[in-house]
């Protein structure tokens, strides 16, 4: 554990209620980024972010050794899994379609077709990659995001997911295989530019 984190946690446990503020500021960006990528909904992200810190602060005395960020990712992982289990049956097309819009449903649902002019725009290509993550199972998506976006080692990810490193590596391989298929046309077009 980072010595500064250890010191601040110790101060908090001794009664300094403001001691964890620097830790929250320090880990806000990687945690929030992970939550947004996993939930694809900013409203949910705010709620989950707050719940992560609520649980972390409530259980900070349980944290002994290791990386604090990995422990926070583990809490986040559990919250997202629990939330997806509760909500998976309640998703409807009506939630996806904006009810106050004058556009037809077909106009509101985005097309997967991307022309070469759009490929030049890195943001659009980045959005396509994000949308492609939808083909992954939640565990594959989580491994991919933690490794590619957050830079965690497979050992850390395996600890977060409570699985072996081999399972973690297999999930990453399945994720990459699915993304290769999903993004094949885009990569073929990029090669031709």
């Amino acid at each position: 554990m980072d010595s500064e984190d250890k010191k601040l946690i110790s101060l908090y446990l001794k009664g300094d209620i403001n001691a964890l503020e620097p830790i929250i500021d320090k880990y806000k960006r990687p945690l929030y980024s992970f939550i947004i990528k996993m939930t694809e909904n900013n409203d949910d992200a705010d709620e989950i972010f707050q719940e992560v810190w609520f649980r972390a602060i409530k259980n900070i005395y349980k944290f002994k050794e290791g990386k604090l960020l990995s422990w926070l990712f583990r809490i986040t992982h559990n919250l997202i899994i629990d939330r997806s289990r509760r909500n998976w049956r309640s998703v409807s097309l009506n939630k996806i379609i904006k009810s106050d819009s004058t556009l037809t449903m077909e106009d509101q649902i985005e097309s997967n077709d991307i022309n070469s002019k759009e490929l030049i725009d890195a943001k659009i290509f980045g959005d396509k990659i994000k949308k492609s993550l939808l083909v992954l199972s939640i565990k594959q998506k989580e491994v991919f995001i933690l490794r590619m976006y957050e830079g965690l080692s497979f050992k850390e990810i395996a600890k977060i997911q409570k699985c072996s490193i081999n399972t973690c590596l297999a999930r990453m391989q399945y994720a990459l295989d699915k993304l290769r298929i999903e993004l094949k046309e885009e990569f073929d077009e990029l090669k031709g530019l």
Side-chain angles (χ1 to χ4, degrees):
M1 177 180 0
D2 181 286
S3 61
E4 184 64 24
D5 290 350
K6 195 174 209 173
K7 177 183 166 189
L8 292 169
I9 290 170
S10 178
L11 288 171
Y12 176 78
L13 292 172
K14 290 177 184 174
D16 182 353
I17 60 171
N18 297 318
L20 294 181
E21 285 181 27
I23 291 176
I24 293 170
D25 290 339
K26 178 180 178 180
Y27 296 118
K28 180 178 182 172
R29 184 179 177 148
L31 274 178
Y32 199 80
S33 173
F34 174 65
I35 293 166
I36 286 177
K37 288 176 180 95
M38 288 298 294
T39 62
E40 295 142 13
N41 183 331
N42 289 341
D43 295 336
D44 284 350
D46 290 336
E47 194 174 310
I48 291 170
F49 182 78
Q50 291 172 11
E51 181 67 19
V52 166
W53 283 109
F54 173 76
R55 289 188 184 188
I57 291 169
K58 181 180 172 187
N59 296 298
I60 198 75
Y61 67 92
K62 293 179 182 178
F63 181 73
K64 303 293 182 210
E65 290 297 321
K67 288 187 176 181
L68 183 59
L69 184 59
S70 293
W71 184 65
L72 293 169
F73 277 135
R74 180 74 199 149
I75 293 169
T76 306
H77 161 85
N78 289 338
L79 281 169
I80 291 170
I81 295 294
D82 290 346
R83 194 177 195 88
S84 68
R85 285 180 184 146
R86 277 194 316 265
N87 296 334
W88 76 273
R89 293 176 197 237
S90 64
V91 175
S92 74
L93 193 55
N94 293 334
K95 280 186 173 181
I96 298 168
I97 305 300
K98 297 174 184 144
S99 60
D100 61 339
S101 175
T102 58
L103 298 174
T104 66
M105 187 182 325
E106 291 81 12
D107 291 335
Q108 288 185 43
I109 298 175
E110 296 183 30
S111 170
N112 288 333
D113 297 336
I114 295 179
N115 64 41
S116 44
K117 182 180 182 304
E118 289 174 316
L119 283 175
I120 295 170
D121 184 351
K123 179 171 176 6
I124 292 173
F125 188 67
D127 289 344
K128 179 65 179 171
I129 292 171
K130 286 179 190 174
K131 288 177 188 173
S132 295
L133 293 177
L134 295 173
V135 303
L136 305 179
S137 73
I138 194 160
K139 291 182 188 255
Q140 292 167 355
K141 181 178 177 181
E142 184 176 50
V143 170
F144 183 84
I145 290 170
L146 289 173
R147 180 71 179 146
M148 302 306 290
Y149 291 99
E150 304 303 332
L152 267 62
S153 70
F154 286 110
K155 182 178 179 181
E156 292 170 311
I157 298 168
K159 187 176 179 183
I160 290 168
Q161 290 193 330
K162 292 184 179 175
C163 66
S164 71
I165 291 176
N166 287 339
T167 300
C168 197
L169 289 168
R171 288 175 180 163
M172 183 64 162
Q173 187 60 51
Y174 288 132
L176 293 173
D177 290 346
K178 287 180 181 178
L179 290 174
R180 272 189 205 100
I181 293 167
E182 191 71 18
L183 296 167
K184 183 180 180 340
E185 288 180 29
E186 286 73 21
F187 285 116
D188 289 346
E189 285 182 36
L190 279 175
K191 288 179 192 174
L193 292 178

